[in-house]
Amino acid sequence: MLGIPDECLVKRSVDVKRLPLGDLKPGERTRFRSVVRELAVTAVLTDKVLPAYSAEGRLVQAVQVFEVRLDSLRSAAFVCGVLQKMTKTLCIIFVRDDRQEQFSFALKRLNLQDASEVVVTEEFLSVPLASGVTGSGMRLMEKYAGWDSVVNMTSLYSWYLELMVKCYIITHRKVWSGMEGLLASKVWYNSDEVYSMFCVLQRLTALSEERSRSLSMGDSVRLNGELREVYERLKVFA
Protein backbone atom coordinates (compact mmCIF):
# COMPACT_ATOMS: atom_id res chain seq x y z
CA MET A 1 0.00 0.00 0.00
CA LEU A 2 1.25 3.48 -1.00
CA GLY A 3 4.42 1.97 -2.49
CA ILE A 4 6.48 2.38 0.69
CA PRO A 5 10.03 1.03 0.05
CA ASP A 6 10.64 -2.59 1.00
CA GLU A 7 13.46 -1.58 3.33
CA CYS A 8 10.88 0.14 5.57
CA LEU A 9 8.51 -2.80 5.79
CA VAL A 10 8.23 -4.77 9.02
CA LYS A 11 5.66 -7.15 10.44
CA ARG A 12 5.46 -6.73 14.18
CA SER A 13 2.31 -7.84 15.94
CA VAL A 14 1.27 -5.83 18.99
CA ASP A 15 -0.38 -7.46 22.00
CA VAL A 16 -3.39 -5.25 22.67
CA LYS A 17 -3.48 -6.39 26.30
CA ARG A 18 0.02 -4.95 26.84
CA LEU A 19 -0.70 -1.49 25.42
CA PRO A 20 -0.30 1.35 27.95
CA LEU A 21 -3.91 2.51 28.17
CA GLY A 22 -3.68 4.07 31.63
CA ASP A 23 -4.93 7.44 30.37
CA LEU A 24 -8.25 5.90 29.35
CA LYS A 25 -11.23 5.42 31.61
CA PRO A 26 -11.89 1.79 32.61
CA GLY A 27 -14.86 1.54 30.24
CA GLU A 28 -12.78 2.92 27.36
CA ARG A 29 -9.97 0.41 28.01
CA THR A 30 -12.47 -2.41 27.99
CA ARG A 31 -14.05 -1.13 24.78
CA PHE A 32 -10.68 -0.71 23.03
CA ARG A 33 -9.52 -4.22 23.87
CA SER A 34 -12.86 -5.79 22.97
CA VAL A 35 -13.19 -4.27 19.47
CA VAL A 36 -9.57 -4.65 18.26
CA ARG A 37 -9.05 -8.07 16.70
CA GLU A 38 -5.50 -7.52 15.42
CA LEU A 39 -2.91 -4.75 15.68
CA ALA A 40 0.44 -4.68 13.90
CA VAL A 41 3.20 -2.28 12.90
CA THR A 42 3.78 -2.89 9.18
CA ALA A 43 6.31 -0.18 8.27
CA VAL A 44 8.71 2.24 9.94
CA LEU A 45 10.18 5.14 7.97
CA THR A 46 13.25 6.86 9.46
CA ASP A 47 15.92 9.30 8.33
CA LYS A 48 17.49 6.43 6.40
CA VAL A 49 14.91 7.01 3.65
CA LEU A 50 14.00 10.70 4.14
CA PRO A 51 15.55 13.43 6.33
CA ALA A 52 14.13 14.10 9.78
CA TYR A 53 12.32 17.39 10.40
CA SER A 54 12.49 19.83 13.29
CA ALA A 55 10.84 23.26 13.24
CA GLU A 56 8.05 25.26 14.86
CA GLY A 57 7.48 22.80 17.70
CA ARG A 58 7.37 19.77 15.41
CA LEU A 59 9.97 17.01 15.63
CA VAL A 60 9.56 14.23 13.07
CA GLN A 61 12.23 11.55 13.25
CA ALA A 62 10.10 8.62 12.16
CA VAL A 63 6.72 7.68 10.71
CA GLN A 64 5.06 4.40 11.65
CA VAL A 65 2.40 2.53 9.70
CA PHE A 66 -0.15 0.46 11.61
CA GLU A 67 -2.70 -2.05 10.43
CA VAL A 68 -5.73 -2.60 12.66
CA ARG A 69 -8.54 -5.10 12.22
CA LEU A 70 -11.78 -4.34 14.05
CA ASP A 71 -15.07 -6.09 14.61
CA SER A 72 -16.71 -3.11 12.91
CA LEU A 73 -15.56 0.23 11.47
CA ARG A 74 -18.14 1.89 13.71
CA SER A 75 -15.31 1.85 16.27
CA ALA A 76 -12.67 3.22 13.86
CA ALA A 77 -12.76 6.84 15.05
CA PHE A 78 -12.44 5.78 18.69
CA VAL A 79 -9.63 3.27 18.13
CA CYS A 80 -7.63 5.50 15.79
CA GLY A 81 -8.04 8.45 18.16
CA VAL A 82 -6.56 6.39 21.00
CA LEU A 83 -3.65 5.12 18.89
CA GLN A 84 -2.82 8.55 17.44
CA LYS A 85 -2.68 10.12 20.91
CA MET A 86 -0.54 7.38 22.45
CA THR A 87 1.95 7.16 19.54
CA LYS A 88 4.62 9.87 19.70
CA THR A 89 5.68 9.53 16.06
CA LEU A 90 3.53 10.52 13.14
CA CYS A 91 1.63 7.47 11.99
CA ILE A 92 -0.66 6.21 9.26
CA ILE A 93 -3.29 3.76 10.42
CA PHE A 94 -4.99 1.38 7.99
CA VAL A 95 -8.07 0.24 9.88
CA ARG A 96 -10.47 -2.36 8.51
CA ASP A 97 -13.24 -4.79 9.30
CA ASP A 98 -14.43 -7.70 7.18
CA ARG A 99 -15.87 -5.43 4.45
CA GLN A 100 -14.28 -1.96 4.44
CA GLU A 101 -11.14 -0.01 5.32
CA GLN A 102 -10.18 3.53 6.28
CA PHE A 103 -7.03 5.65 6.67
CA SER A 104 -6.18 7.68 9.78
CA PHE A 105 -3.69 10.58 9.89
CA ALA A 106 -2.79 13.10 12.61
CA LEU A 107 -0.40 16.03 12.87
CA LYS A 108 1.38 16.41 16.20
CA ARG A 109 3.59 18.92 17.97
CA LEU A 110 5.75 18.83 21.07
CA ASN A 111 3.98 19.55 24.35
CA LEU A 112 5.04 23.04 25.44
CA GLN A 113 5.15 21.95 29.10
CA ASP A 114 6.87 18.62 28.52
CA ALA A 115 8.96 18.16 25.38
CA SER A 116 8.95 14.38 25.86
CA GLU A 117 5.21 14.34 25.13
CA VAL A 118 3.27 15.22 21.98
CA VAL A 119 -0.09 16.85 21.35
CA VAL A 120 -2.37 15.95 18.43
CA THR A 121 -3.22 19.21 16.62
CA GLU A 122 -5.19 17.91 13.62
CA GLU A 123 -6.69 14.49 13.06
CA PHE A 124 -8.35 13.00 10.01
CA LEU A 125 -10.12 9.73 9.25
CA SER A 126 -10.99 8.97 5.63
CA VAL A 127 -14.35 7.70 4.44
CA PRO A 128 -14.71 3.89 4.33
CA LEU A 129 -13.58 2.16 1.12
CA ALA A 130 -14.57 -1.36 0.10
CA SER A 131 -11.73 -3.73 0.95
CA GLY A 132 -9.96 -5.17 -2.06
CA VAL A 133 -11.90 -3.02 -4.51
CA THR A 134 -10.05 -0.45 -6.61
CA GLY A 135 -12.68 2.29 -6.80
CA SER A 136 -12.20 5.89 -7.92
CA GLY A 137 -10.92 6.96 -4.49
CA MET A 138 -8.26 4.26 -4.36
CA ARG A 139 -7.22 4.95 -7.96
CA LEU A 140 -6.69 8.62 -7.07
CA MET A 141 -4.68 7.57 -3.99
CA GLU A 142 -2.44 5.39 -6.13
CA LYS A 143 -2.05 8.11 -8.78
CA TYR A 144 -1.30 11.07 -6.50
CA ALA A 145 -0.24 9.64 -3.12
CA GLY A 146 1.94 6.66 -3.99
CA TRP A 147 5.61 6.80 -3.04
CA ASP A 148 6.67 7.65 -6.59
CA SER A 149 3.91 10.27 -6.97
CA VAL A 150 4.55 12.42 -3.89
CA VAL A 151 6.06 15.72 -5.01
CA ASN A 152 7.81 16.98 -1.88
CA MET A 153 10.22 14.37 -0.49
CA THR A 154 12.29 16.98 1.36
CA SER A 155 11.65 15.36 4.74
CA LEU A 156 9.53 12.80 6.55
CA TYR A 157 7.19 15.64 7.54
CA SER A 158 6.73 16.99 4.00
CA TRP A 159 6.00 13.46 2.71
CA TYR A 160 3.49 12.75 5.48
CA LEU A 161 1.77 16.15 5.19
CA GLU A 162 1.36 15.81 1.43
CA LEU A 163 0.01 12.28 1.81
CA MET A 164 -2.47 13.33 4.50
CA VAL A 165 -3.80 16.39 2.65
CA LYS A 166 -4.12 14.52 -0.63
CA CYS A 167 -6.09 11.82 1.14
CA TYR A 168 -8.27 14.53 2.70
CA ILE A 169 -8.95 16.05 -0.73
CA ILE A 170 -9.79 12.67 -2.24
CA THR A 171 -12.14 11.86 0.64
CA HIS A 172 -13.97 15.20 0.25
CA ARG A 173 -13.62 15.56 -3.51
CA LYS A 174 -17.40 15.89 -4.03
CA VAL A 175 -17.65 18.95 -1.77
CA TRP A 176 -16.29 21.32 -4.43
CA SER A 177 -15.86 20.90 -8.18
CA GLY A 178 -12.24 22.15 -8.02
CA MET A 179 -11.01 19.58 -5.51
CA GLU A 180 -9.39 17.15 -7.94
CA GLY A 181 -7.64 20.03 -9.67
CA LEU A 182 -5.77 20.72 -6.42
CA LEU A 183 -4.17 17.26 -6.63
CA ALA A 184 -2.20 18.29 -9.72
CA SER A 185 -1.32 21.84 -8.65
CA LYS A 186 2.15 23.17 -7.82
CA VAL A 187 1.23 23.86 -4.18
CA TRP A 188 2.77 20.53 -3.13
CA TYR A 189 6.31 21.86 -3.52
CA ASN A 190 5.82 24.10 -0.46
CA SER A 191 4.82 22.46 2.84
CA ASP A 192 3.83 25.78 4.43
CA GLU A 193 1.41 26.40 1.57
CA VAL A 194 0.12 22.83 1.80
CA TYR A 195 -0.66 23.31 5.49
CA SER A 196 -2.36 26.66 4.78
CA MET A 197 -4.47 24.98 2.10
CA PHE A 198 -5.36 22.20 4.53
CA CYS A 199 -6.72 24.77 7.00
CA VAL A 200 -8.91 26.27 4.25
CA LEU A 201 -10.07 22.79 3.20
CA GLN A 202 -11.15 22.03 6.75
CA ARG A 203 -13.14 25.26 6.77
CA LEU A 204 -14.73 24.25 3.46
CA THR A 205 -15.90 20.87 4.74
CA ALA A 206 -17.16 22.37 8.01
CA LEU A 207 -19.23 24.99 6.15
CA SER A 208 -20.54 22.39 3.70
CA GLU A 209 -21.65 20.12 6.54
CA GLU A 210 -23.32 23.06 8.28
CA ARG A 211 -25.14 24.00 5.08
CA SER A 212 -26.44 20.45 4.69
CA ARG A 213 -28.06 20.80 8.13
CA SER A 214 -29.26 24.37 7.66
CA LEU A 215 -33.02 24.93 7.86
CA SER A 216 -33.46 28.69 7.64
CA MET A 217 -33.15 30.88 4.56
CA GLY A 218 -30.98 33.33 6.50
CA ASP A 219 -28.46 30.65 7.41
CA SER A 220 -28.35 29.37 3.83
CA VAL A 221 -27.61 32.86 2.49
CA ARG A 222 -24.84 33.38 5.07
CA LEU A 223 -23.27 29.98 4.45
CA ASN A 224 -23.34 30.38 0.67
CA GLY A 225 -21.55 33.71 1.03
CA GLU A 226 -18.88 32.22 3.28
CA LEU A 227 -18.46 29.27 0.94
CA ARG A 228 -17.90 31.58 -2.04
CA GLU A 229 -15.09 33.26 -0.09
CA VAL A 230 -13.54 29.86 0.66
CA TYR A 231 -13.76 28.83 -3.02
CA GLU A 232 -11.85 31.98 -3.98
CA ARG A 233 -9.17 31.25 -1.37
CA LEU A 234 -8.75 27.70 -2.68
CA LYS A 235 -8.40 28.88 -6.28
CA VAL A 236 -5.13 30.55 -5.24
CA PHE A 237 -3.68 27.08 -4.59
CA ALA A 238 -4.94 25.51 -7.82
Side-chain angles (χ1 to χ4, degrees):
M1 185 67 73
L2 302 178
I4 292 173
D6 290 346
E7 63 191 278
C8 302
L9 302 182
V10 299
K11 190 63 176 180
R12 187 166 66 243
S13 295
V14 178
D15 187 347
V16 176
K17 294 180 181 179
R18 294 179 178 273
L19 284 177
L21 302 176
D23 290 339
L24 299 183
K25 296 176 181 178
E28 292 174 330
R29 289 198 295 272
T30 300
R31 179 187 176 191
F32 185 93
R33 288 169 176 152
S34 66
V35 299
V36 176
R37 289 189 193 175
E38 300 174 13
L39 173 60
V41 180
T42 57
V44 179
L45 292 83
T46 67
D47 57 5
K48 292 182 179 179
V49 290
L50 289 174
Y53 176 87
S54 178
E56 300 175 349
R58 300 190 192 274
L59 178 61
V60 183
Q61 296 176 310
V63 176
Q64 296 187 79
V65 181
F66 291 88
E67 286 192 7
V68 184
R69 182 172 290 277
L70 304 177
D71 287 333
S72 168
L73 283 187
R74 288 193 296 268
S75 301
F78 167 70
V79 170
C80 291
V82 170
L83 289 173
Q84 291 287 9
K85 288 181 176 63
M86 69 182 294
T87 307
K88 293 183 180 181
T89 67
L90 293 181
C91 60
I92 303 166
I93 304 172
F94 296 107
V95 57
R96 66 192 65 191
D97 60 16
D98 292 334
R99 297 181 302 158
Q100 297 178 304
E101 58 190 17
Q102 292 176 270
F103 303 85
S104 168
F105 297 87
L107 295 180
K108 305 170 186 181
R109 62 166 175 78
L110 297 175
N111 189 316
L112 297 178
Q113 281 72 45
D114 183 355
S116 66
E117 299 295 329
V118 297
V119 176
V120 173
T121 56
E122 286 94 6
E123 191 170 358
F124 160 59
L125 182 65
S126 74
V127 296
L129 302 169
S131 295
V133 177
T134 306
S136 59
M138 189 59 70
R139 285 196 296 270
L140 287 170
M141 284 288 291
E142 292 171 351
K143 180 178 180 179
Y144 292 105
W147 183 264
D148 294 328
S149 303
V150 171
V151 173
N152 193 341
M153 305 288 270
T154 305
S155 67
L156 289 166
Y157 172 72
S158 66
W159 171 75
Y160 184 91
L161 179 66
E162 180 173 337
L163 192 63
M164 182 186 77
V165 178
K166 283 182 172 178
C167 188
Y168 189 90
I169 290 172
I170 292 167
T171 289
H172 297 96
R173 63 190 182 280
K174 295 182 181 179
V175 173
W176 176 51
S177 61
M179 289 293 253
E180 289 191 30
L182 296 174
L183 293 171
S185 77
K186 295 182 179 180
V187 69
W188 306 106
Y189 290 97
N190 187 318
S191 291
D192 290 338
E193 289 294 299
V194 171
Y195 181 75
S196 296
M197 181 177 67
F198 180 54
C199 293
V200 180
L201 288 168
Q202 291 180 94
R203 179 62 176 160
L204 169 63
T205 54
L207 287 171
S208 298
E209 290 171 4
E210 186 179 353
R211 184 175 63 176
S212 69
R213 300 190 303 267
S214 177
L215 298 177
S216 72
M217 180 64 71
D219 283 343
S220 294
V221 171
R222 172 183 61 81
L223 290 168
N224 286 335
E226 292 184 30
L227 280 166
R228 282 194 294 272
E229 292 179 5
V230 170
Y231 297 151
E232 291 303 314
R233 292 176 64 187
L234 285 173
K235 288 177 182 177
V236 173
F237 301 108

